[in-house]
Amino acid sequence: QEHLTGLETQVSIAAVNAPGSVVISGDRDAVDTVAAKFRAMGRKTTPLNVSAAFHSPHINPILTELRDTAQTLTYHQPHTPLITTDPTGQNPTTPEYWTHQTRNTVHYT
């Protein structure tokens, strides 16, 4: 997170895949700048071929519409245990959960 200081409106940590394995997402120039810093530190970086900058500030414009749409759905408690990638413990049967999940970091660890 400290490597993103000053770039918070442009780039975010999209996913924590494993200790030492993270995905950053956001403005291409900002992502490239952060990746270059990591490469200069001797760390491996791999650009991902994705259709959008998910889990980054690019998602902010759709959050209100997503939440409004999610409020129209009927939620039920899962029949089987649900493993989520959200460490906050939010209830996945709420519109807030899905809005939060769409914008914030996914934690696979």
Side-chain angles (χ1 to χ4, degrees), residues 11-64:
V11 64
S12 297
I13 297 176
V16 177
N17 294 326
S21 176
V22 299
V23 175
I24 59 173
S25 180
D27 294 353
R28 169 73 65 187
D29 292 342
V31 168
D32 289 345
T33 297
V34 173
K37 288 180 186 178
F38 281 117
R39 282 191 302 276
M41 295 166 50
R43 297 192 179 153
K44 178 183 174 186
T45 66
T46 305
L48 301 178
N49 184 16
V50 295
S51 61
F54 299 108
H55 305 283
S56 81
H58 285 250
I59 297 301
N60 292 348
I62 70 162
L63 292 178
T64 298

Side-chain angles (χ1 to χ4, degrees), residues 2 14-16 22 30 32 34 36 38-39 44 52 57 63 67 74-75 77 79 88-89 92 97-98 102 105:
E2 66 270 12
V16 177
V22 299
D32 289 345
V34 173
F38 281 117
R39 282 191 302 276
K44 178 183 174 186
L63 292 178
R67 186 175 190 289
T74 301
Y75 295 90
Q77 290 299 319
H79 296 282
T88 66
Y97 172 85
W98 294 103
T102 300
T105 305

Side-chain angles (χ1 to χ4, degrees), residues 68-102:
D68 291 347
T69 300
Q71 285 181 314
T72 69
L73 303 175
T74 301
Y75 295 90
H76 302 280
Q77 290 299 319
H79 296 282
T80 57
L82 180 64
I83 299 171
T84 72
T85 58
D86 180 356
T88 66
Q90 289 187 16
N91 181 351
T93 63
T94 66
E96 292 77 18
Y97 172 85
W98 294 103
T99 305
H100 174 85
Q101 175 69 8
T102 300

